[in-house]
Amino acid sequence: MNSDTPRGPAGLAGTPLAFDTAALRRVQGNAWVDPAGDAVVLDYFDLAPDLPASLEDLADLRARTSARVAESGMGLVELDTVLLDGMPALRQVVKGRDPGRESGMAYIGSYTIPRDRCGAVVRVQCFEGPVTGIREASLFPLFLDRHQGDVQEAMAAWARHPYAGGVTGGTPRNQAEDPVWDDRFPDHPVSRARRLLGVLARSLRVDPAFRDLPPFRYGS
């Protein structure tokens, strides 16, 4: 077998990734829940990653992903490129309506580690509780004050995306979802998603066979 041929993953749940699961409860082969009830799911894809741009062009990747996510009916909250166990990876958080309820948001955070012809993903799924909109309702008056009470101007800025101002549709990101507010609202699902991603990153390890595969190249 040469270095260009993908080898079977050797890690958790049939993926080339492993992390500390001591604080998690396994609910199926590739899924766990933490004490707050938030889910962690692992997947391995034996095909070329479907990324809309290169990891090396963060601005383009953010803009194209923002548009793609909005087209799907959801919204991109944030996207960054990071290193996981020394491997280039995509870290993102998206939001959408909770499909199981008439109101409330679901936040999905994920790490994607792409290689040339395969990829591994770990994602977290965090849902809003029975009382919804508290974070937004608490912070919008502060935001309105910054715009001298001009409601129309404040509303436009409130939902203006930091990566792609022209993106419309989907479930728009808003200013209340900035990470600067997470400490004030630690139980909000976007705060929990970011925190859980951070916990996973600290212990995540990549199988050497996966690490040795050719790197992802957009358009190749």
Side-chain angles (χ1 to χ4, degrees), residues 164-195:
V167 170
T168 58
T171 309
R173 177 195 188 278
N174 64 67
Q175 299 297 321
E177 289 157 339
D178 284 354
V180 68
W181 303 113
D182 286 357
D183 287 344
R184 182 167 170 177
F185 301 93
D187 296 326
H188 189 274
V190 74
S191 304
R192 303 197 316 263
R194 292 188 181 110
R195 189 164 59 244

mmCIF file of all heavy atoms in Angstrom, residues 164-195:
data_model
loop_
_atom_site.group_PDB
_atom_site.id
_atom_site.type_symbol
_atom_site.label_atom_id
_atom_site.label_comp_id
_atom_site.label_asym_id
_atom_site.label_seq_id
_atom_site.Cartn_x
_atom_site.Cartn_y
_atom_site.Cartn_z
ATOM 1 N N ALA A 164 -19.722 38.025 5.446
ATOM 2 C CA ALA A 164 -20.342 38.215 4.133
ATOM 3 C C ALA A 164 -21.590 39.065 4.305
ATOM 4 O O ALA A 164 -22.690 38.544 4.500
ATOM 5 C CB ALA A 164 -20.692 36.861 3.504
ATOM 6 N N GLY A 165 -21.414 40.375 4.231
ATOM 7 C CA GLY A 165 -22.510 41.299 4.492
ATOM 8 C C GLY A 165 -23.675 41.161 3.544
ATOM 9 O O GLY A 165 -24.801 41.527 3.876
ATOM 10 N N GLY A 166 -23.456 40.633 2.334
ATOM 11 C CA GLY A 166 -24.524 40.515 1.360
ATOM 12 C C GLY A 166 -25.322 39.237 1.452
ATOM 13 O O GLY A 166 -26.295 39.056 0.709
ATOM 14 N N VAL A 167 -24.953 38.337 2.363
ATOM 15 C CA VAL A 167 -25.664 37.061 2.479
ATOM 16 C C VAL A 167 -27.025 37.289 3.110
ATOM 17 O O VAL A 167 -27.162 37.965 4.133
ATOM 18 C CB VAL A 167 -24.849 36.063 3.321
ATOM 19 C CG1 VAL A 167 -25.689 34.834 3.661
ATOM 20 C CG2 VAL A 167 -23.614 35.637 2.570
ATOM 21 N N THR A 168 -28.064 36.723 2.495
ATOM 22 C CA THR A 168 -29.417 36.820 3.028
ATOM 23 C C THR A 168 -30.022 35.421 3.110
ATOM 24 O O THR A 168 -29.496 34.463 2.546
ATOM 25 C CB THR A 168 -30.307 37.700 2.134
ATOM 26 O OG1 THR A 168 -30.339 37.145 0.804
ATOM 27 C CG2 THR A 168 -29.764 39.133 2.071
ATOM 28 N N GLY A 169 -31.153 35.336 3.797
ATOM 29 C CA GLY A 169 -31.832 34.059 3.912
ATOM 30 C C GLY A 169 -31.277 33.204 5.028
ATOM 31 O O GLY A 169 -30.392 33.614 5.782
ATOM 32 N N GLY A 170 -31.798 32.008 5.128
ATOM 33 C CA GLY A 170 -31.363 31.101 6.168
ATOM 34 C C GLY A 170 -31.788 31.572 7.547
ATOM 35 O O GLY A 170 -32.831 32.215 7.712
ATOM 36 N N THR A 171 -30.976 31.273 8.533
ATOM 37 C CA THR A 171 -31.210 31.675 9.918
ATOM 38 C C THR A 171 -30.084 32.616 10.309
ATOM 39 O O THR A 171 -29.005 32.166 10.697
ATOM 40 C CB THR A 171 -31.224 30.441 10.848
ATOM 41 O OG1 THR A 171 -32.127 29.467 10.327
ATOM 42 C CG2 THR A 171 -31.650 30.817 12.253
ATOM 43 N N PRO A 172 -30.281 33.927 10.169
ATOM 44 C CA PRO A 172 -29.157 34.859 10.298
ATOM 45 C C PRO A 172 -28.499 34.840 11.672
ATOM 46 O O PRO A 172 -29.160 34.727 12.706
ATOM 47 C CB PRO A 172 -29.807 36.218 10.026
ATOM 48 C CG PRO A 172 -31.059 35.914 9.279
ATOM 49 C CD PRO A 172 -31.525 34.599 9.808
ATOM 50 N N ARG A 173 -27.209 34.940 11.652
ATOM 51 C CA ARG A 173 -26.431 35.157 12.862
ATOM 52 C C ARG A 173 -26.765 36.543 13.397
ATOM 53 O O ARG A 173 -27.100 37.456 12.642
ATOM 54 C CB ARG A 173 -24.944 35.081 12.504
ATOM 55 C CG ARG A 173 -23.976 35.368 13.644
ATOM 56 C CD ARG A 173 -22.600 35.615 13.077
ATOM 57 N NE ARG A 173 -21.566 35.712 14.101
ATOM 58 C CZ ARG A 173 -21.302 36.804 14.798
ATOM 59 N NH1 ARG A 173 -22.015 37.903 14.614
ATOM 60 N NH2 ARG A 173 -20.327 36.800 15.690
ATOM 61 N N ASN A 174 -26.654 36.737 14.717
ATOM 62 C CA ASN A 174 -26.847 38.077 15.276
ATOM 63 C C ASN A 174 -25.738 38.409 16.262
ATOM 64 O O ASN A 174 -24.968 37.543 16.669
ATOM 65 C CB ASN A 174 -28.233 38.225 15.913
ATOM 66 C CG ASN A 174 -28.421 37.302 17.099
ATOM 67 O OD1 ASN A 174 -27.772 37.447 18.131
ATOM 68 N ND2 ASN A 174 -29.319 36.327 16.950
ATOM 69 N N GLN A 175 -25.668 39.680 16.641
ATOM 70 C CA GLN A 175 -24.566 40.164 17.463
ATOM 71 C C GLN A 175 -24.534 39.533 18.849
ATOM 72 O O GLN A 175 -23.483 39.485 19.490
ATOM 73 C CB GLN A 175 -24.660 41.688 17.587
ATOM 74 C CG GLN A 175 -24.576 42.434 16.262
ATOM 75 C CD GLN A 175 -23.252 42.233 15.561
ATOM 76 O OE1 GLN A 175 -22.203 42.204 16.205
ATOM 77 N NE2 GLN A 175 -23.282 42.092 14.249
ATOM 78 N N ALA A 176 -25.681 39.032 19.331
ATOM 79 C CA ALA A 176 -25.706 38.399 20.650
ATOM 80 C C ALA A 176 -24.905 37.113 20.675
ATOM 81 O O ALA A 176 -24.569 36.608 21.753
ATOM 82 C CB ALA A 176 -27.152 38.124 21.068
ATOM 83 N N GLU A 177 -24.599 36.555 19.489
ATOM 84 C CA GLU A 177 -23.871 35.284 19.430
ATOM 85 C C GLU A 177 -22.354 35.460 19.424
ATOM 86 O O GLU A 177 -21.624 34.469 19.333
ATOM 87 C CB GLU A 177 -24.338 34.507 18.197
ATOM 88 C CG GLU A 177 -25.749 33.996 18.375
ATOM 89 C CD GLU A 177 -26.498 33.702 17.092
ATOM 90 O OE1 GLU A 177 -26.112 34.232 16.030
ATOM 91 O OE2 GLU A 177 -27.476 32.944 17.139
ATOM 92 N N ASP A 178 -21.879 36.690 19.549
ATOM 93 C CA ASP A 178 -20.441 36.911 19.670
ATOM 94 C C ASP A 178 -19.910 36.210 20.924
ATOM 95 O O ASP A 178 -20.569 36.224 21.972
ATOM 96 C CB ASP A 178 -20.129 38.404 19.764
ATOM 97 C CG ASP A 178 -20.241 39.110 18.427
ATOM 98 O OD1 ASP A 178 -20.440 38.420 17.407
ATOM 99 O OD2 ASP A 178 -20.145 40.346 18.398
ATOM 100 N N PRO A 179 -18.733 35.623 20.853
ATOM 101 C CA PRO A 179 -18.202 34.896 22.022
ATOM 102 C C PRO A 179 -17.930 35.774 23.231
ATOM 103 O O PRO A 179 -17.826 35.264 24.351
ATOM 104 C CB PRO A 179 -16.907 34.263 21.487
ATOM 105 C CG PRO A 179 -16.584 35.006 20.241
ATOM 106 C CD PRO A 179 -17.878 35.472 19.665
ATOM 107 N N VAL A 180 -17.845 37.091 23.039
ATOM 108 C CA VAL A 180 -17.586 37.990 24.170
ATOM 109 C C VAL A 180 -18.693 37.894 25.225
ATOM 110 O O VAL A 180 -18.461 38.191 26.400
ATOM 111 C CB VAL A 180 -17.429 39.445 23.668
ATOM 112 C CG1 VAL A 180 -18.739 39.991 23.140
ATOM 113 C CG2 VAL A 180 -16.873 40.341 24.762
ATOM 114 N N TRP A 181 -19.888 37.422 24.817
ATOM 115 C CA TRP A 181 -21.012 37.332 25.746
ATOM 116 C C TRP A 181 -21.150 35.944 26.380
ATOM 117 O O TRP A 181 -22.052 35.725 27.192
ATOM 118 C CB TRP A 181 -22.320 37.687 25.026
ATOM 119 C CG TRP A 181 -22.325 39.033 24.387
ATOM 120 C CD1 TRP A 181 -22.364 39.313 23.049
ATOM 121 C CD2 TRP A 181 -22.282 40.295 25.050
ATOM 122 N NE1 TRP A 181 -22.350 40.667 22.831
ATOM 123 C CE2 TRP A 181 -22.294 41.296 24.050
ATOM 124 C CE3 TRP A 181 -22.241 40.678 26.394
ATOM 125 C CZ2 TRP A 181 -22.263 42.655 24.359
ATOM 126 C CZ3 TRP A 181 -22.207 42.033 26.702
ATOM 127 C CH2 TRP A 181 -22.222 42.999 25.693
ATOM 128 N N ASP A 182 -20.297 35.003 26.047
ATOM 129 C CA ASP A 182 -20.466 33.634 26.537
ATOM 130 C C ASP A 182 -20.387 33.529 28.064
ATOM 131 O O ASP A 182 -21.143 32.756 28.672
ATOM 132 C CB ASP A 182 -19.427 32.705 25.908
ATOM 133 C CG ASP A 182 -19.735 32.379 24.450
ATOM 134 O OD1 ASP A 182 -20.781 32.833 23.937
ATOM 135 O OD2 ASP A 182 -18.922 31.671 23.827
ATOM 136 N N ASP A 183 -19.483 34.279 28.687
ATOM 137 C CA ASP A 183 -19.356 34.196 30.141
ATOM 138 C C ASP A 183 -20.611 34.708 30.836
ATOM 139 O O ASP A 183 -20.956 34.249 31.930
ATOM 140 C CB ASP A 183 -18.142 34.990 30.627
ATOM 141 C CG ASP A 183 -16.829 34.305 30.294
ATOM 142 O OD1 ASP A 183 -16.856 33.106 29.963
ATOM 143 O OD2 ASP A 183 -15.780 34.971 30.358
ATOM 144 N N ARG A 184 -21.287 35.648 30.204
ATOM 145 C CA ARG A 184 -22.517 36.195 30.784
ATOM 146 C C ARG A 184 -23.693 35.223 30.623
ATOM 147 O O ARG A 184 -24.622 35.237 31.436
ATOM 148 C CB ARG A 184 -22.836 37.538 30.119
ATOM 149 C CG ARG A 184 -24.066 38.237 30.661
ATOM 150 C CD ARG A 184 -24.124 39.662 30.181
ATOM 151 N NE ARG A 184 -25.388 40.301 30.491
ATOM 152 C CZ ARG A 184 -25.679 41.577 30.223
ATOM 153 N NH1 ARG A 184 -24.769 42.341 29.632
ATOM 154 N NH2 ARG A 184 -26.851 42.081 30.527
ATOM 155 N N PHE A 185 -23.637 34.389 29.581
ATOM 156 C CA PHE A 185 -24.706 33.425 29.308
ATOM 157 C C PHE A 185 -24.104 32.029 29.134
ATOM 158 O O PHE A 185 -24.146 31.445 28.056
ATOM 159 C CB PHE A 185 -25.474 33.839 28.048
ATOM 160 C CG PHE A 185 -26.114 35.201 28.124
ATOM 161 C CD1 PHE A 185 -25.444 36.319 27.660
ATOM 162 C CD2 PHE A 185 -27.383 35.349 28.672
ATOM 163 C CE1 PHE A 185 -26.028 37.576 27.729
ATOM 164 C CE2 PHE A 185 -27.978 36.603 28.747
ATOM 165 C CZ PHE A 185 -27.296 37.727 28.282
ATOM 166 N N PRO A 186 -23.538 31.468 30.204
ATOM 167 C CA PRO A 186 -22.815 30.189 30.071
ATOM 168 C C PRO A 186 -23.701 29.013 29.689
ATOM 169 O O PRO A 186 -23.205 28.013 29.165
ATOM 170 C CB PRO A 186 -22.201 29.994 31.464
ATOM 171 C CG PRO A 186 -23.096 30.779 32.383
ATOM 172 C CD PRO A 186 -23.536 31.970 31.590
ATOM 173 N N ASP A 187 -25.007 29.104 29.962
ATOM 174 C CA ASP A 187 -25.901 27.990 29.671
ATOM 175 C C ASP A 187 -26.562 28.092 28.303
ATOM 176 O O ASP A 187 -27.313 27.183 27.920
ATOM 177 C CB ASP A 187 -26.983 27.891 30.749
ATOM 178 C CG ASP A 187 -26.403 27.576 32.122
ATOM 179 O OD1 ASP A 187 -25.397 26.839 32.178
ATOM 180 O OD2 ASP A 187 -26.942 28.072 33.132
ATOM 181 N N HIS A 188 -26.297 29.162 27.582
ATOM 182 C CA HIS A 188 -26.856 29.289 26.233
ATOM 183 C C HIS A 188 -26.199 28.242 25.331
ATOM 184 O O HIS A 188 -25.012 27.933 25.479
ATOM 185 C CB HIS A 188 -26.605 30.694 25.685
ATOM 186 C CG HIS A 188 -27.324 30.979 24.408
ATOM 187 N ND1 HIS A 188 -26.794 30.652 23.175
ATOM 188 C CD2 HIS A 188 -28.522 31.564 24.158
ATOM 189 C CE1 HIS A 188 -27.641 31.024 22.230
ATOM 190 N NE2 HIS A 188 -28.695 31.577 22.793
ATOM 191 N N PRO A 189 -26.945 27.674 24.363
ATOM 192 C CA PRO A 189 -26.363 26.595 23.546
ATOM 193 C C PRO A 189 -25.144 26.993 22.735
ATOM 194 O O PRO A 189 -24.267 26.143 22.509
ATOM 195 C CB PRO A 189 -27.526 26.161 22.641
ATOM 196 C CG PRO A 189 -28.508 27.274 22.692
ATOM 197 C CD PRO A 189 -28.370 27.882 24.044
ATOM 198 N N VAL A 190 -25.026 28.250 22.293
ATOM 199 C CA VAL A 190 -23.824 28.616 21.542
ATOM 200 C C VAL A 190 -22.619 28.664 22.478
ATOM 201 O O VAL A 190 -21.501 28.301 22.092
ATOM 202 C CB VAL A 190 -24.016 29.938 20.775
ATOM 203 C CG1 VAL A 190 -23.991 31.150 21.695
ATOM 204 C CG2 VAL A 190 -22.939 30.087 19.697
ATOM 205 N N SER A 191 -22.836 29.086 23.745
ATOM 206 C CA SER A 191 -21.753 29.072 24.742
ATOM 207 C C SER A 191 -21.332 27.640 25.030
ATOM 208 O O SER A 191 -20.135 27.333 25.120
ATOM 209 C CB SER A 191 -22.203 29.747 26.039
ATOM 210 O OG SER A 191 -22.661 31.057 25.822
ATOM 211 N N ARG A 192 -22.322 26.750 25.179
ATOM 212 C CA ARG A 192 -22.014 25.350 25.459
ATOM 213 C C ARG A 192 -21.286 24.705 24.289
ATOM 214 O O ARG A 192 -20.360 23.892 24.493
ATOM 215 C CB ARG A 192 -23.295 24.582 25.778
ATOM 216 C CG ARG A 192 -24.089 25.148 26.941
ATOM 217 C CD ARG A 192 -25.111 24.180 27.506
ATOM 218 N NE ARG A 192 -25.875 23.460 26.540
ATOM 219 C CZ ARG A 192 -27.106 23.790 26.108
ATOM 220 N NH1 ARG A 192 -27.683 24.909 26.550
ATOM 221 N NH2 ARG A 192 -27.754 23.033 25.238
ATOM 222 N N ALA A 193 -21.691 25.039 23.070
ATOM 223 C CA ALA A 193 -21.037 24.466 21.893
ATOM 224 C C ALA A 193 -19.568 24.868 21.833
ATOM 225 O O ALA A 193 -18.691 24.023 21.591
ATOM 226 C CB ALA A 193 -21.757 24.902 20.625
ATOM 227 N N ARG A 194 -19.282 26.142 22.049
ATOM 228 C CA ARG A 194 -17.884 26.596 22.027
ATOM 229 C C ARG A 194 -17.077 25.934 23.139
ATOM 230 O O ARG A 194 -15.932 25.530 22.941
ATOM 231 C CB ARG A 194 -17.819 28.118 22.164
ATOM 232 C CG ARG A 194 -18.365 28.882 20.974
ATOM 233 C CD ARG A 194 -18.068 30.364 21.137
ATOM 234 N NE ARG A 194 -18.594 31.144 20.026
ATOM 235 C CZ ARG A 194 -19.620 31.985 20.100
ATOM 236 N NH1 ARG A 194 -20.233 32.173 21.256
ATOM 237 N NH2 ARG A 194 -20.029 32.653 19.042
ATOM 238 N N ARG A 195 -17.681 25.828 24.317
ATOM 239 C CA ARG A 195 -16.967 25.239 25.452
ATOM 240 C C ARG A 195 -16.669 23.764 25.200
ATOM 241 O O ARG A 195 -15.563 23.284 25.480
ATOM 242 C CB ARG A 195 -17.814 25.435 26.709
ATOM 243 C CG ARG A 195 -17.110 25.072 27.999
ATOM 244 C CD ARG A 195 -17.845 25.659 29.202
ATOM 245 N NE ARG A 195 -19.224 25.220 29.320
ATOM 246 C CZ ARG A 195 -20.288 26.041 29.227
ATOM 247 N NH1 ARG A 195 -20.148 27.328 28.985
ATOM 248 N NH2 ARG A 195 -21.515 25.549 29.372
#
